[in-house]
Amino acid sequence: QKPIAAGLALDIGTTAISALLVDLFTGEPLASGSAGNGQIHYGADVINRLIESSRPGGLERLRAAVADDCVTPLVEKICLSRGMTPAQIYRVAFAGNTTMTHLFLGVWANFIRLEPYVPAFFRLEGLRGSDIRIGVNDCADVLAAPCVGSYVGGDITAGVFASMMNRRQASSLFIDLGTNGELVYGGADFLMACACSAGPAFEGVDISCGMRAADGAIEAFHIDAATLEPTLTVIGAPDAKPAGICGSGLIDIICELFRAGVIDAKGRIVRESARIIRDDTGLAGYVLVFAGETGIGRNIEINETDIDNFIRAKGSIYSAIRCLLATADTRENELDAVYVAGGIGSGINIGSAIRIGMLPSMPAERFHYLGNTSLMGAYAMLTSRKANSEVKNVGDGMTYLELSTHPGYMDEFVAACFLPHTDASLFPAAEAELT
């Protein structure tokens, strides 16, 4: 049997890590896996992790939390599934946001959040397996997707390449839904990027019954407006019992509760039924699945705090879209295509995302859900020198817009923190459903 020389593609996400083992002779995927990012114990967002990394011993703690405690066992697991060892991995390509890239490598990152707001590096060359300390062959070539700014990293340069928007003359918008929401507008002639702090709601964190898009996650939802009884779609086998809510399910749930009049524009629960419960403080929630029908032995519900967290996340995304397009003097209806990326489920309901004011009101055929483009781009870098070079060119040619200094961003954000928006004329379909 021909010996296998393997490659490894990694997406180093703030909330989750995804890995793909590849046969370098053929380019064929051999195994894949994912795991939660162990750095979550130091904070759900990159700012808290940057603060922790600046404390004595913090940088090594953060590096170990992702590399030693998460990536290394994940690589061992997927190698074992193919009867291999990590030492047979001779090339690694990884993509992550700027903070995750620094912390994964154990590089001082505090100037990402402090003046002059410039990372220690944008591009790295000449890395070897011994530099990343995840058990792969010490002599392995290690390729890192280049970063663009403090909050637009290699996951976006890899993702833009995977979408191919950089090769098209048409004006497109790329949106990566994760703990940080990153957006890129442009095409073959230019690319302009920005980032917003969406929080980890899209990945199931900071939601009381949230979870990653894995078996048991509710990924789609419909409610009967009269009885308030739900219909659910759950990831996994047909008889899989629900265990929580992933990002795509959360978008559907908010949309359906709003459509049925269960919640108002501020996200407060305003109807009563057997599925509406309130705790001792008066906090209301809607029960999607009662304890006896779940795989976790307790109710799966969404409460007003969850809804508020989500509204802030979707408001952050939409306000960033508005500011990015305004900077480029472009209107939403002038976009030829919108590419939505992120590992939030098998695919979001674009109609639901529009009706709650998360995505611009445009014909559904202009939207394309691509999944984990960061991992796709890393896989392309791993298996093609030409792709690796093009990803670097994408990073070099991208202009970074800092939203924190944009004069209109905060006004746009506040206006977007309602369902669907304070300016309902921006979302005529949602307004029509409620009148």
Side-chain angles (χ1 to χ4, degrees), residues 378-422:
Y379 169 70
M381 291 172 62
L382 183 73
T383 55
S384 166
R385 288 187 176 89
K386 183 178 179 181
N388 183 43
S389 177
E390 189 168 340
V391 171
K392 293 176 182 177
N393 290 338
V394 167
D396 290 342
M398 201 177 292
T399 300
Y400 177 54
L401 172 68
E402 180 54 65
L403 282 185
S404 63
T405 62
H406 192 286
Y409 178 69
M410 189 50 65
D411 289 342
E412 288 285 359
F413 174 68
V414 172
C417 285
F418 292 84
L419 296 173
H421 195 277
T422 53

Side-chain angles (χ1 to χ4, degrees), residues 192-209:
M192 181 182 295
C194 69
C196 57
S197 180
F202 294 126
E203 297 179 300
V205 180
D206 278 357
I207 302 298
S208 57
C209 291

Side-chain angles (χ1 to χ4, degrees), residues 173-178 180-185 194-199 202 251 309-327 330-335 338 340 348 350-362 367 401 403 406 408-430:
L173 181 67
F174 174 88
I175 305 170
D176 188 281
L177 297 175
N180 295 309
E182 292 103 345
L183 297 84
V184 180
Y185 167 72
C194 69
C196 57
S197 180
F202 294 126
I251 292 168
N309 286 338
F310 177 82
I311 289 176
R312 289 176 180 273
K314 78 90 187 173
S316 183
I317 294 293
Y318 186 68
S319 55
I321 293 172
R322 295 270 292 177
C323 289
L324 182 62
L325 295 183
T327 301
T330 301
R331 295 180 177 85
E332 295 171 7
N333 60 10
E334 294 174 342
L335 292 170
V338 178
V340 182
I348 67 172
I350 296 298
S352 294
I354 293 172
R355 283 190 287 273
I356 60 174
M358 186 176 112
L359 296 177
S361 183
M362 291 165 42
F367 290 88
L401 172 68
L403 282 185
H406 192 286
Y409 178 69
M410 189 50 65
D411 289 342
E412 288 285 359
F413 174 68
V414 172
C417 285
F418 292 84
L419 296 173
H421 195 277
T422 53
D423 183 357
S425 66
L426 293 171
F427 300 93

Side-chain angles (χ1 to χ4, degrees), residues 90-180:
Y90 294 98
R91 186 181 299 155
V92 178
F94 73 91
N97 67 48
T98 308
T99 298
M100 288 301 102
T101 300
H102 281 60
L103 297 181
F104 175 60
L105 297 173
V107 175
W108 181 256
N110 211 34
F111 284 124
I112 291 173
R113 71 176 185 93
L114 300 175
E115 289 187 285
Y117 308 109
V118 175
F121 61 87
F122 292 105
R123 183 194 288 191
L124 286 175
E125 305 285 352
L127 288 174
R128 298 296 180 202
S130 56
D131 296 319
I132 58 176
R133 293 179 278 173
I134 59 171
V136 301
N137 193 286
D138 282 349
C139 297
D141 289 327
V142 177
L143 310 173
C147 302
V148 176
S150 293
Y151 300 106
V152 173
D155 53 343
I156 303 308
T157 54
V160 166
F161 171 79
S163 76
M164 292 285 113
M165 67 179 286
N166 61 302
R167 295 186 179 184
R168 298 186 175 97
Q169 292 299 324
S171 61
S172 304
L173 181 67
F174 174 88
I175 305 170
D176 188 281
L177 297 175
T179 307
N180 295 309

Side-chain angles (χ1 to χ4, degrees), residues 4 21 28-31 77-85 88:
I4 291 177
L21 190 67
E28 177 189 357
L30 299 173
K77 180 180 177 181
I78 62 176
C79 284
L80 183 62
S81 72
R82 295 303 301 245
M84 297 170 52
T85 67
Q88 291 175 270

